Amino acid sequence: MTRIALTGNIASGKSAVSEILKQKGFEVLDTDEVSHKLLTVKNNELYNVFKDYDVFENGEFSRAKLAKIVFSDKNIRKKLESVLHPQIAREIEKFEGIVAIPLLFEAKMEKMFDKIIMVYTDDAIRLKRLMKRNGFTEEEAKNRMNSQMPQDDKVAQCDYVIYNNGTISELTKVISKLINLNFDRQ
């Protein structure tokens, strides 16, 4: 079986695509879930990098506190990524199937995959989704969006692009067509 990357920028609909793929019988590893599991003080390497920052609550990493400093300081974000990305890569290496990985290109992990599928959604739609979904102000949402490589820079590096500017029903039809033409469930 091949390893396929499912990528897309924040609020593009990767989770919706992942759920549709699971319903169609595909195994999907979500690297966001992997990173959440790695955010523990038992992760000595990560703890040592952040022990002097106000990112802990009740003896554990606070994702909210960590996100606040990571998305306001590029250097701190790079510190986090320098620890998490290699750990996430080790988890990916153990898996065959579809890997939902938002920061595929930013983490320079594209060579780990046989094929790359990108979920692309217009920036204005992503901005609205992100503000509604997370309760962010426009500025907070734009900071998150701007922390990633622009979508248009990624498209040329992908094998398939799923445009997700419509409804779930439309998205399901596009995914069905894509997998029926290109992929085996294994």
Side-chain angles (χ1 to χ4, degrees), residues 3-5 8 10-11 13 35 37 43 50 59 64 74 81 89 96 113 124 131 137 147 164 166 170-171 174 179:
R3 188 179 301 130
I4 300 166
I10 192 167
S35 68
K37 289 176 186 172
N43 185 335
F50 287 96
K74 187 177 182 178
E81 292 170 349
E96 287 187 348
F113 298 93
M131 290 170 63
T137 65
S147 73
N164 182 28
E170 292 168 331
L171 181 62
V174 169
I179 62 178

Side-chain angles (χ1 to χ4, degrees), residues 29-39 87-88 91:
L29 174 69
D30 184 338
T31 59
D32 279 345
E33 290 176 11
V34 171
S35 68
H36 294 166
K37 289 176 186 172
L38 292 170
L39 280 176
Q87 293 178 355
I88 291 169
E91 293 300 313

Side-chain angles (χ1 to χ4, degrees), residues 113-171:
F113 298 93
D114 301 297
K115 297 286 181 189
I116 300 172
I117 302 170
M118 180 172 173
V119 183
Y120 185 105
T121 303
D122 291 345
D123 288 344
I125 294 171
R126 291 189 315 114
L127 180 64
K128 287 179 187 174
R129 284 182 187 170
L130 194 53
M131 290 170 63
K132 182 178 180 183
R133 181 185 78 190
N134 295 67
F136 290 151
T137 65
E138 185 173 337
E139 181 183 355
E140 290 169 325
K142 284 182 177 179
N143 282 343
R144 299 286 175 109
M145 290 172 64
N146 292 334
S147 73
Q148 295 179 321
M149 176 191 286
Q151 296 184 103
D152 292 330
D153 293 351
K154 296 177 181 182
V155 169
Q157 300 177 65
C158 297
D159 298 291
Y160 309 97
V161 178
I162 296 171
Y163 291 94
N164 182 28
N165 292 322
T167 66
I168 290 291
S169 176
E170 292 168 331
L171 181 62

Side-chain angles (χ1 to χ4, degrees), residues 18-58:
S18 291
E19 285 307 310
I20 294 166
L21 289 168
K22 287 177 189 175
Q23 291 168 9
K24 294 186 175 294
F26 289 89
E27 293 289 322
V28 180
L29 174 69
D30 184 338
T31 59
D32 279 345
E33 290 176 11
V34 171
S35 68
H36 294 166
K37 289 176 186 172
L38 292 170
L39 280 176
T40 172
V41 293
K42 294 178 183 96
N43 185 335
N44 290 330
E45 189 178 359
L46 193 60
Y47 175 78
N48 287 337
V49 170
F50 287 96
K51 66 183 176 192
D52 297 327
Y53 293 92
D54 179 24
V55 295
F56 300 99
E57 203 167 87
N58 300 323

